[in-house]
Each structure stands twice: as C-alpha cells, then as structure tokens.
C-alpha cells in the first residue's frame, strides 16, 4: 500500500466514510443547522432549498471556525475557509479523506461518540469486535461489533447474488399512523465477478414502488414464487470483479393496516458498514425501543435485545461493522 493510501485508509474505506459523513450532515438536525447557518452567510440570501445536501463552502466555514476557536489555526488565516473547500469537497464525494480531516469534522460538528465511532470505523475499514464475544446472539446485539449466523435457515434468494455490499445507509421513516411511509437506501456494492450489469432490489412487504435517485435505472420487474417482487436496477456500465458502484433509491409504501412494531435488516452474504436509522413520527413516539437480533428473516424467535434510546429528533440509530447470515434491527412498543 502506498503512503497516500496508508494516510487515507483504503480508497474503498475513504469512500464509505465520505458517504456516511454526507448523510450524517444532511440528516442529523444539529449538524444540518450548523452548515445551513454558514450557507446562508455564504449565499447572503435565504436558507438552502429543502432537501439539498451540504455545500463545500458552508462546511469549510464550519471547520474553519472550529480550528480558529481551538487555536489549531491562527485567526489571522482569513483565507482558511477557501483553502479548506477543496479538502471538504473531496471528503464528501468519496475521494481523499485523511484522519486529520475526519477528526476536524468530528470536533467542528460536536459529534457524539456513536457517530464519531461509526465514521472512524468506516474510515479504517474496521471490523472491531469480530472474534471477541462470538458471532451472533446476545453478545453481538449488546456490543458494537459484527453480527453473524443468527439465522437458523437460509432465506430463499430468487436471483443469484453477484455482488457484495461494502457500505449501506438506510433511513426507515414511519408515517403519522406509525406504519412505514418510505425507506431511503444509499448502497455501495462491489462486483463479485466480471460482467455485473444490475442490482436486484427486492421490494419489502407493503411497498408500492421504488424511485431510483442515483446510479441506476429500473429496467425490469420480476414476479417470482415465494418472493415479493424483485426490481432490476441496471447500472450505467457493466462492472468488473472488484469494481464498486454507489446506488441511491427510495421505496414508497401504501397505507398500512396497523402501526409497525419492528424494522428488521437481513443479510445472507456478508454486508459491511451498515448505518441504520428508524425515524418515528413527531406526534407518535414509541414507549420503548430495543436493538434486537432474530433467528429468521421475517418471523422466528427473538434472540436478544438491548435498549435503544430515542434521539431528540425522534429517531434511533445503530452502526454495524458487518452483518452476515443474520437478522438484526429495532423493535418497539407504542
């Protein structure tokens, strides 16, 4: 590995960390408020349009203010925000991300330990906890390490999997009635063989459609026995083995018969760097929430659970370094 790669982790890990960083700055209200405040100053106009991501100039100003306040940079360096802009842009777009820059983000946005740990783990390509405390079950759920081999039987896979997930960010949003409303996924996949042309997206129960936001287009829908519909998301160009591409898509749900009580994430082949968020409606918050593992993809037995506190914005969050042949997620009571 070259010196540059040693400084920045692997390119794959830097891209995964940049992807998570971009989503954190967009989705966490506290972080978003910080860069939107600077964005208003940069633009000298109204606030950024709803739904837009963080601008490099605004984020660079947040970092510069932090470095001036901590004394890491002299306040006479008035051009510091401009000099940081390119570095910020590279970090947020999955390019170069040094450990120094990562720590500037952690300090400038006053990130709590959970978010900081998730970012550092992605940057390092870390799989902390593997081999210490076992694979699945209670130990895996209670800790922060990988979760593996909780499933007692393999789930039916309607199409052969020709990729592996190297990074995934999922935000599961419940509507005012407590039923699923939408689910947004940003996923980086690596081809396991040459000639991978599409990603098979299996619709969850109750889903009515998928809107692809980036990285692919829907080209086919398969109705297969023993499975919910599977959509073929065709990539812009075929992938060679080891090549990585990033996809972003949003699943919409129809009206639910009753409020949901769980969100379960299942992996058969190994999936790495999972960042899972469930967002509860403002006027319908659960009484209790647990982080849990199960022995089945849909029903089965609850193997373990540990309390999962709600954030001030009404969401719960968990970073999992790896999930393999396992089912894990959140369940709650209203």
């Amino acid at each position: 590995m070259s010196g540059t790669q040693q400084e920045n982790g692997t390119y794959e890990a830097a891209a995964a960390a940049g992807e998570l960083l971009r989503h954190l700055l967009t989705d966490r209200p506290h972080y978003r408020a910080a860069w939107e405040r600077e964005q208003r100053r940069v633009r000298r106009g109204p606030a950024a349009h709803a739904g837009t991501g963080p601008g490099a100039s605004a984020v660079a100003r947040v970092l510069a203010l932090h470095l001036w306040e901590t004394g890491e940079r002299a306040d006479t360096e008035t051009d510091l925000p401009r000099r940081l802009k390119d570095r910020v842009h590279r970090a947020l777009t999955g390019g170069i991300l040094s450990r120094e820059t990562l720590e500037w983000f952690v300090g400038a946005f006053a990130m709590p330990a959970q978010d900081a740990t998730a970012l550092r783990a992605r940057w390092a390509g870390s799989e902390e906890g593997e081999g210490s405390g076992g694979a699945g079950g209670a130990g895996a759920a209670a800790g922060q390490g990988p979760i593996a081999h909780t499933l007692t039987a393999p789930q039916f896979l309607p199409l052969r999997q020709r990729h592996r997930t190297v990074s995934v960010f999922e935000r599961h949003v419940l509507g005012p009635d407590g039923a699923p409303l939408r689910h947004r996924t940003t996923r980086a996949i690596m081809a396991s063989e040459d000639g991978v042309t599409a990603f098979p997206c299996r619709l969850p129960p109750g889903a009515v459609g998928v809107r692809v936001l980036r990285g692919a287009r829907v080209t086919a829908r398969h109705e297969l026995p023993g499975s919910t519909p599977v959509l073929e998301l065709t990539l812009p160009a075929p992938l060679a083995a080891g090549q990585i591409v990033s996809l972003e898509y949003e699943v919409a749900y129809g009206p639910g018969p009753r409020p949901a009580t769980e969100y379960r994430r299942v992996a058969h082949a190994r999936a790495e760097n999972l960042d899972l968020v469930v967002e509860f409606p403002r006027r319908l918050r659960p009484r209790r929430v647990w982080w849990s593992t199960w022995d089945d993809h849909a029903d089965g037995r609850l193997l373990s659970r540990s309390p999962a506190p709600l954030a001030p914005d009404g969401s719960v969050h968990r970073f999992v370094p790896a999930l393999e042949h396992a089912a894990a997620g959140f369940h709650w009571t209203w």
Side-chain angles (χ1 to χ4, degrees), residues 40-192:
R40 286 193 292 270
R41 292 173 181 171
V42 169
R43 294 183 176 181
R44 292 181 175 85
H49 298 297
T52 60
S57 295
V59 175
R61 283 189 58 83
V62 177
L63 265 60
L65 289 170
H66 167 71
L67 296 174
W68 287 329
E69 288 170 2
T70 59
E72 194 167 340
R73 292 290 186 274
D75 55 14
T76 54
E77 295 182 43
T78 56
D79 64 340
L80 184 59
R82 179 182 58 79
R83 289 191 284 113
L84 291 176
K85 181 180 176 182
D86 286 345
R87 185 187 287 220
V88 167
H89 176 75
R90 289 193 297 268
L92 295 179
T93 55
I96 297 173
L97 176 61
S98 69
R99 184 58 182 261
E100 178 184 53
T101 304
L102 185 147
E103 295 303 330
W104 286 351
F105 275 99
V106 170
F109 287 92
M111 292 185 177
Q114 190 173 32
D115 287 349
T117 298
L119 278 170
R120 290 168 182 144
R122 283 207 184 184
W123 181 87
S126 171
E127 297 183 3
E128 295 174 4
E130 188 164 28
S132 57
Q144 295 288 339
I147 301 171
H149 306 300
T150 71
L151 298 177
T152 55
Q155 184 186 6
F156 167 67
L157 296 178
L159 296 176
R160 185 169 69 90
Q161 188 167 310
R162 304 175 64 202
H163 71 278
R164 72 178 181 89
T165 296
V166 297
S167 172
V168 63
F169 182 96
E170 297 192 346
R171 190 172 190 89
H172 191 70
V173 179
L174 303 179
D177 59 355
L181 179 64
R182 63 181 181 274
H183 184 101
R184 179 169 291 202
T185 300
T186 302
R187 179 191 302 266
I189 62 170
M190 176 186 290
S192 302

Side-chain angles (χ1 to χ4, degrees), residues 28 285 308-317:
R28 298 280 198 271
R285 298 289 166 83
L310 277 182
D313 65 353
S315 66
V316 286
H317 164 251

